[in-house]
Amino acid sequence: MKRIRSSIIDGVGFDLVLVGIPLVFLLLFSGLPLVYNVLMSFQEVDLFSLGEVFRPFVGLKNYRALFAQPEFWPIMWNTVIFVFCSIGGQFIVGFGLAVFFNTGFRGSTFIRGLFLVSWVMPGLVVGATWNWILAGDFGVLNYLLSSIGVISENIFWRSDINYSLWAVIITNIWLGTAFNMILLSVGLAGIPKDLYEAASLDGATAFQKFWTITVPMMRSTTGAVISLGLIFTLQQFDLFAAITGGGPANSSNVAQYWAWELSFRQYDFARGATISTIMIAVVMVASVFYVRSTRHEVRG
Amino acid sequence: MTQELQIELNGVDKHYGAFHALKDIQLAIPKGAFVALVGPSGCGKSTLLRSIAGLETISGGEMKITDEVVNNVPPRHRDVAMVFQSYALYPHMTVIDNLTYSLRLKKTPKAEARKIAEEVAATIGLENLLDRFPRELSGGQRQRVAMGRAIVRRPKVFLFDEPLSNLDASLRVHMRKEIRALHDRLGATSVYVTHDQIEAMTMADHVVVMRAGVIEQQGAPLELYDRPASQFVAGFIGSPAMNFVDGVTNADGTAVTLEIDGAPELKLPRQVACNQKVTVGLRPEHLSISAAGQGTITTKISVIESTGSTTYVGAGDTGKITIVLSERRDISVGDTIDLSINAKDIHLFDPHSQMAI
Ligand SMILES: Nc1ncnc2c1ncn2[C@@H]1O[C@H](COP(=O)(O)OP(=O)(O)O)[C@@H](O)[C@H]1O
Ligand SMILES: [Mg+2]
């Protein structure tokens, strides 16, 4: 007893306690629900068996039924478009802004700080705000596009099946840009100034410095930002709820929103859990990339 | 004989906001010269070097490189190479890629670039490290890569900003010779910044002493040692530093009386203003222990430090006067000794302007 006590106070025991507390916490509140979710995707679930853990095992039946639904592949394709375009847009705009603010002009840090506002706002509020911007008849976006001559008649972003997904993507790009910019700014600030000076003397133009110094030095940050972006984008739910509700006719529906619809609108918990399980698999792959890219730092 | 100039600075000024970092710099560097910029930390050496490189834009005056005014020429068009104090190696590139970076920017064919880099690597002992990353190298090896990267370019001018300050003492002494030998072999023009006057004195043909943004004095190393223009230069050049003692010249200006115990009178090599307060400069290595007599300073030993080959003696009540002895003497702390000095080795400075008299 005494030995255990002294080990906890000044030995290895202390480290174990430090690691143990969060580990137990994670297992209890993240691990168990995940396992429960995966388990549910292999079971037959109805409203009466909802409270139980051990329900009839049905193998891959839920998966087969899900794949057979006519909307399955269109929604998966929407998800892919949503994820790729959101991440791409957020990253490119975020990188551009990060490089811009990294020039360090007067007030650059202050203005950069203001960008965090988009981060603080709840998704539902952002969605509501963008609903106005995207509105077909009085929206600012249509006004801008028509005044620079890109469109000749109003686009009904939220109710046109050709644009509804893009309405959410545009909003999500706006929402995620600040996060990308902040992380990329940290990465840029970590590149020593004298590398650019050495490159200038070696004969590099600004463009060449960007491609031969900035881009390779940002590789690990980029990997981390994109992996995290993938995770956050797959989690994006509020914007769909606020802007299109997945419609019209599933034209803007994506996996995460569909899972919610199946579980809590149609009370088909098994299929909802099945979609979630597929997404868990994708996120786990992304996590591996994230961990790898943060480990492969090329600095110093 | 007028020598061809490589770098010419006429009244160059540099302001950082309200701060005047370089004041009216006049400097002419002939082709092939090895010039050292030396001075205490913060005096503007790096600023001057970076201005030559084009990394800082000068606020006033004119700067020429090979007769071309370069005030507004960007660094990449100046054809100068710089070795940074931090080395500034590209961390994501191997040694060979670091060396060939400038060549690749110039679209030199790959094989040719590699051949040039390998030749340079061989001359500075890097041939076995070509595929390593900078993080896998020791400090001395990184330093060599930084030099190699400069040499590969065959620039008109090499700029060095305290390149040896991150190395240990023995490697520093070794690299000193190597850099100078390299300079002679390449026939290049070099500007070398250091805060270490020994580096400046041993490496350079021409030493520029700076203080607070001003060139205090410039000239050949021994000229600065023999004829310092000011008390600052006198104290900065030479190690250990020159002793300064207050004194007054006598009635006919041919001797000076030191204001220390015993008020010894030293003969001067030439006549100066009479009955004038002066600061007398005596180099430690010029003082010798002699028999008591006319024109000697009688004092007590308070400190003895011996390195074996050289003995540093501190004399006077607080070790105020330092003496360097190269031969061993039978002396100990507390002994009373008599010091003498040749009249030609006595330096006089005006206590107000601090300029040499
Ligand atoms: N970018 C800058 N902005 C403001 N002051 C600077 C800047 N760079 C250097 N200085 C100032 O100029 C002076 C000279 O600096 P520097 O040339 O680096 O000195 P050193 O002789 O030690 O190399 C210092 O007082 C320094 O604080
Ligand atoms: Mg410096």
Side-chain angles (χ1 to χ4, degrees):
Chain A
M1 190 59 215
K2 210 171 149 209
R3 267 194 28 212
I4 295 176
R5 244 193 69 145
S6 82
S7 155
I8 286 176
I9 289 170
D10 45 32
V12 202
F14 184 69
D15 300 343
L16 288 180
V17 169
L18 274 187
V19 176
I21 292 171
L23 212 58
V24 168
F25 197 84
L26 270 177
L27 280 178
L28 216 58
F29 293 101
S30 291
L32 283 184
L34 277 181
V35 173
Y36 184 66
N37 187 70
V38 174
L39 192 66
M40 207 151 75
S41 72
F42 294 104
Q43 292 175 331
E44 189 175 303
V45 189
D46 54 36
L47 277 179
F48 302 103
S49 64
L50 202 52
E52 297 160 19
V53 176
F54 299 103
R55 287 167 291 228
F57 181 75
V58 293
L60 292 174
K61 182 170 161 249
N62 291 324
Y63 288 85
R64 259 183 247 117
L66 194 73
F67 294 166
Q69 280 186 244
E71 63 267 48
F72 177 79
W73 289 111
I75 287 177
M76 287 301 138
W77 181 236
N78 281 349
T79 312
V80 170
I81 294 177
F82 177 71
V83 165
F84 270 80
C85 296
S86 294
I87 294 178
Q90 291 169 354
F91 181 78
I92 291 169
V93 179
F95 205 147
L97 285 171
V99 169
F100 176 63
F101 285 120
N102 198 47
T103 55
F105 57 89
R106 268 177 82 102
S108 59
T109 37
F110 176 70
I111 301 173
R112 183 165 56 196
L114 286 184
F115 272 79
L116 288 176
V117 170
S118 73
W119 219 3
V120 178
M121 291 217 298
L124 287 172
V125 175
V126 171
T129 313
W130 274 84
N131 279 345
W132 288 335
I133 298 173
L134 295 164
D137 30 21
F138 59 83
V140 174
L141 186 61
N142 277 342
Y143 174 75
L144 277 178
L145 292 178
S146 61
S147 57
I148 58 171
V150 177
I151 57 172
S152 52
E153 57 188 65
N154 283 347
I155 295 174
F156 285 78
W157 290 96
R158 298 164 56 205
S159 52
D160 187 327
I161 56 167
N162 294 315
Y163 294 105
S164 55
L165 183 61
W166 293 100
V168 187
I169 291 174
I170 291 170
T171 311
N172 194 35
I173 289 176
W174 181 85
L175 189 63
T177 292
F179 173 76
N180 278 251
M181 181 196 67
I182 296 294
L183 283 198
L184 292 168
S185 289
V186 173
L188 285 179
I191 303 176
K193 281 262 178 305
D194 54 10
L195 295 187
Y196 292 107
E197 294 180 345
S200 307
L201 287 165
D202 274 346
T205 60
F207 184 74
Q208 287 169 326
K209 279 184 271 185
F210 180 78
W211 283 108
T212 58
I213 310 285
T214 311
V215 170
M217 291 292 286
M218 289 294 281
R219 197 163 283 155
S220 63
T221 311
T222 302
V225 168
I226 287 186
S227 317
L228 285 177
L230 177 62
I231 292 166
F232 290 152
T233 312
L234 280 178
Q235 279 181 349
Q236 184 47 260
F237 176 85
D238 300 8
L239 292 183
F240 290 94
I243 297 174
T244 63
N250 280 332
S251 61
S252 66
N253 210 351
V254 291
Q256 63 268 36
Y257 194 76
W258 196 33
W260 174 80
E261 268 188 349
L262 287 173
S263 293
F264 299 105
R265 281 286 169 77
Q266 301 169 20
Y267 301 110
D268 191 339
F269 292 99
R271 288 193 199 178
T274 307
I275 298 179
S276 308
T277 304
I278 297 172
M279 292 176 66
I280 290 171
V282 175
V283 169
M284 275 169 69
V285 173
S287 312
V288 171
F289 275 105
Y290 172 68
V291 170
R292 277 176 55 106
S293 62
T294 49
R295 197 187 295 156
H296 281 262
E297 296 259 342
V298 238
R299 291 271 156 88
Chain B
M1 188 189 90
T2 56
Q3 235 174 331
E4 222 177 327
L5 290 184
Q6 184 65 269
I7 302 174
E8 208 179 337
L9 278 70
N10 278 318
V12 166
D13 277 291
K14 173 70 188 173
H15 297 268
Y16 288 116
F19 183 73
H20 203 167
L22 295 178
K23 298 170 192 160
D24 191 26
I25 300 292
Q26 298 288 346
L27 185 61
I29 300 177
K31 271 206 175 105
F34 195 115
V35 174
L37 303 180
V38 66
S41 174
C43 69
K45 310 179 293 287
S46 296
T47 305
L48 180 53
L49 195 76
R50 292 167 55 82
S51 301
I52 297 173
L55 297 172
E56 305 283 350
T57 319
I58 55 177
S59 324
E62 184 189 65
M63 180 181 302
K64 284 187 193 170
I65 298 180
T66 7
D67 292 331
E68 184 200 354
V69 177
V70 294
N71 285 25
N72 296 311
V73 175
R76 71 195 163 89
H77 290 145
R78 291 197 183 190
D79 195 18
V80 302
M82 183 155 161
V83 177
F84 291 76
Q85 185 172 7
S86 62
Y87 311 142
L89 301 180
Y90 309 122
H92 55 292
M93 296 182 201
T94 56
V95 170
I96 182 86
D97 287 343
N98 265 282
L99 294 179
T100 56
Y101 182 74
S102 57
L103 301 175
R104 284 182 285 139
L105 290 177
K106 279 191 294 190
K107 307 265 183 291
T108 310
K110 222 175 162 167
E112 192 187 328
R114 188 169 175 102
K115 194 168 150 268
I116 296 173
E118 277 172 350
E119 278 169 20
V120 170
T123 61
I124 53 176
L126 285 174
E127 59 271 46
N128 297 322
L129 305 171
L130 291 179
D131 294 319
R132 294 227 196 142
F133 283 96
R135 62 175 174 276
E136 300 165 334
L137 301 176
S138 71
Q141 290 166 338
R142 289 180 200 193
Q143 210 277 331
R144 281 165 193 273
V145 179
M147 299 220 315
R149 189 172 63 180
I151 297 168
V152 161
R153 289 182 40 206
R154 305 254 159 216
K156 282 184 203 150
V157 179
F158 285 98
L159 305 175
F160 298 89
D161 193 352
E162 311 212 12
L164 305 183
S165 58
N166 293 329
L167 304 181
D168 61 61
S170 62
L171 191 53
R172 205 149 57 207
V173 173
H174 174 75
M175 288 306 292
R176 225 149 73 185
K177 295 196 200 92
E178 208 166 304
I179 291 179
R180 178 67 218 214
L182 213 54
H183 164 91
D184 292 338
R185 197 167 68 231
L186 297 173
T189 306
S190 301
V191 184
Y192 187 102
V193 162
T194 176
H195 63 265
D196 179 352
Q197 56 94 17
I198 297 197
E199 259 178 37
M201 297 289 283
T202 51
M203 295 174 77
D205 315 314
H206 188 84
V207 176
V208 178
V209 181
M210 293 182 66
R211 175 164 73 152
V214 176
I215 293 184
E216 192 84 5
Q217 188 179 3
Q218 51 179 313
L222 292 183
E223 192 182 318
L224 297 189
Y225 178 87
D226 292 338
R227 285 182 295 283
S230 67
Q231 195 177 333
F232 173 77
V233 175
F236 195 81
I237 301 289
S239 170
M242 186 184 273
N243 298 299
F244 295 108
V245 184
D246 290 337
V248 182
T249 55
N250 68 359
D252 59 4
T254 56
V256 61
T257 307
L258 301 186
E259 296 181 347
I260 52 175
D261 284 348
E265 197 181 73
L266 305 180
K267 269 223 151 353
L268 292 175
R270 63 208 148 79
Q271 195 168 14
V272 296
C274 54
N275 295 326
Q276 190 193 7
K277 274 191 176 303
V278 292
T279 302
V280 182
L282 309 168
R283 290 204 184 274
E285 55 274 29
H286 290 158
L287 288 164
S288 55
I289 299 178
S290 61
Q294 251 287 299
T296 60
I297 307 167
T298 307
T299 182
K300 251 202 180 99
I301 297 178
S302 52
V303 187
I304 298 178
E305 293 169 339
S306 184
T307 64
S309 61
T310 313
T311 305
Y312 301 94
V313 176
D317 18 276
T318 51
K320 193 170 165 352
I321 297 179
T322 307
I323 307 133
V324 177
L325 303 173
S326 48
E327 76 278 22
R328 290 203 191 171
R329 300 287 288 257
D330 186 20
I331 48 176
S332 52
V333 173
D335 287 358
T336 299
I337 49 171
D338 288 286
L339 300 174
S340 62
I341 187 163
N342 282 328
K344 70 171 175 54
D345 292 330
I346 296 174
H347 299 269
L348 294 181
F349 304 95
D350 184 310
H352 300 292
S353 68
Q354 308 211 321
M355 299 311 283
I357 299 173

